[in-house]
Amino acid sequence: MKCHRVNELIELLHPEWQKDPDLNLIEFIRKLADEAGYEGPLENLTDDVLIYHLKMRNSGKDDMIPGLAKDQEDDFKTAILKARGIIK
């Protein structure tokens, strides 16, 4: 895991973990994994799962995933023209 990923994970993890101070780190990570729907062993849990879950944890059910919102086009015709490189 690169240094910026570690920093991003810690920045996202810290305020959420403070909401459950009675849990140790592994218990809290297991709680996050369960919330995200991850069912495998913790040693196979990726940082991506934790990062995206922490980013979306307090958002609404229908909110767009960060990173995808910037590419969203409400107009289908515009989306097709951009995808074909006709407009920017």
Side-chain angles (χ1 to χ4, degrees):
M1 186 184 310
K2 296 182 180 174
C3 188
H4 73 279
R5 302 284 287 174
V6 172
N7 292 336
E8 181 179 15
L9 184 56
I10 290 171
E11 287 175 16
L12 292 167
L13 188 63
H14 186 256
E16 294 300 316
W17 191 11
Q18 286 182 327
K19 295 175 185 175
D20 284 315
D22 56 320
L23 300 178
N24 68 44
L25 180 59
I26 297 301
E27 290 172 332
F28 187 65
I29 289 175
R30 171 48 59 196
K31 179 180 178 179
L32 292 173
D34 291 342
E35 287 176 6
Y38 180 80
E39 297 177 352
L42 281 181
E43 61 265 16
N44 295 334
L45 181 66
T46 65
D47 56 318
D48 289 330
V49 171
L50 290 173
I51 289 171
Y52 280 103
H53 179 65
L54 286 165
K55 285 183 177 182
M56 297 298 294
R57 189 173 194 218
N58 297 317
S59 60
K61 182 179 177 182
D62 296 327
D63 289 354
M64 184 152 304
I65 296 171
L68 295 180
K70 65 179 176 58
D71 295 327
Q72 180 191 10
E73 288 292 337
D74 293 326
D75 177 33
F76 181 74
K77 182 178 177 182
T78 303
I80 293 293
L81 293 174
K82 281 186 177 181
R84 293 184 178 169
I86 296 171
I87 61 173
K88 293 186 181 197

